[in-house]
Amino acid sequence: MKLKLTPLNIVSALSMMAVGGLIAKKEWILGTENHEFKNPLIALCILFFFVSILCDQIFRKFIPSLARLWMTQLMLILLTVLFILVLKISVFG
């Protein structure tokens, strides 16, 4: 079995670290006054973990070159972050 380190692997590891931090200590991410967002944020991080693992496997199947795989996954992450920022600015002002 050949292991490859990819950007989506790194993102999925960070999302699991965030879930562990949210479960272990509430103030780690949210601060002391925002405890009502804890459970939805944990669910969102777990969902993000599974989606990133699935996308990583799909990209690995269709893109054999490691350099192209990194570029494609980095573009996906960048576009996702930009989409979230635009959505946050336009909806939540």
Side-chain angles (χ1 to χ4, degrees):
M1 184 169 156
K2 201 171 167 184
L3 295 175
K4 294 180 186 176
L5 182 65
T6 59
L8 285 175
N9 281 344
I10 296 167
V11 167
S12 64
L14 290 174
S15 68
M16 279 292 103
M17 190 175 80
V19 168
L22 283 169
I23 291 172
K25 187 170 181 170
K26 297 175 187 176
E27 294 85 19
W28 184 59
I29 292 177
L30 300 174
T32 56
E33 59 274 348
N34 292 326
H35 294 302
E36 65 268 4
F37 295 116
K38 180 184 175 191
N39 290 335
L41 191 57
I42 289 173
L44 187 65
C45 286
I46 291 172
L47 176 68
F48 191 68
F49 170 75
F50 285 119
V51 168
S52 65
I53 292 292
L54 179 68
C55 287
D56 184 46
Q57 294 303 315
I58 291 171
F59 279 129
R60 284 181 192 219
K61 174 116 174 106
F62 293 113
I63 303 173
S65 169
L66 188 61
R68 289 182 136 200
L69 183 68
W70 266 80
M71 290 303 294
T72 307
Q73 288 186 2
L74 284 173
M75 281 194 254
L76 174 73
I77 293 169
L78 180 68
L79 288 174
T80 304
V81 167
L82 287 175
F83 176 72
I84 289 171
L85 287 174
V86 167
L87 187 69
K88 181 177 168 62
I89 291 170
S90 65
V91 173
F92 299 109

